[in-house]
Amino acid sequence: MKNFVVKTIANAGALAVAVWLLDKITLTGDSTGKEVGTLIVVALLFGLVNFLVKPVVQVLTFPLFVLTLGLITLVVNALMLLLTSWLADKLDLSFHVEGFWTAVIGGLIISIVSWALNMVLPDED
């Protein structure tokens, strides 16, 4: 349970950094509390997408992983971020990623920041 909470906090922090750095990734709310709540829900949604969809996509695109020496991972991460944005829109959350290239850069930022946060935060179960 603790590991789940730590990963969610790391995802929320990484998403917050991407929102802060990129103008085309937006998170809006009436107040700071509402924005933090939306960020946590989006982090949960992003974690769910990465847990359920990403492994299937990686298996289906395995030949491209081999062919591109893993660089297709950037595209897969971008697609997972765009899927999260689409689901957030369907759930009426105020999170939006505008465009594929923004999603590629955002996915790269999120990967680096969440890796760093997972290294710092405790992860025992």
Side-chain angles (χ1 to χ4, degrees), residues 21-45:
L21 288 175
L22 300 173
D23 292 336
K24 293 186 178 183
I25 298 179
T26 57
L27 176 74
T28 56
D30 299 336
S31 65
T32 304
K34 178 122 174 133
E35 284 183 359
V36 169
T38 302
L39 188 62
I40 290 171
V41 173
V42 170
L44 288 169
L45 190 61

Side-chain angles (χ1 to χ4, degrees), residues 37-91:
T38 302
L39 188 62
I40 290 171
V41 173
V42 170
L44 288 169
L45 190 61
F46 186 65
L48 189 65
V49 165
N50 278 327
F51 180 73
L52 295 176
V53 179
K54 191 174 182 178
V56 174
V57 171
Q58 285 179 332
V59 167
L60 293 176
T61 60
F62 182 72
L64 290 175
F65 275 95
V66 173
L67 187 64
T68 63
L69 301 175
L71 289 177
I72 195 74
T73 305
L74 293 172
V75 174
V76 171
N77 288 343
L79 294 175
M80 296 305 108
L81 189 58
L82 286 171
L83 179 59
T84 301
S85 175
W86 180 78
L87 288 171
D89 183 49
K90 294 298 178 192
L91 294 172

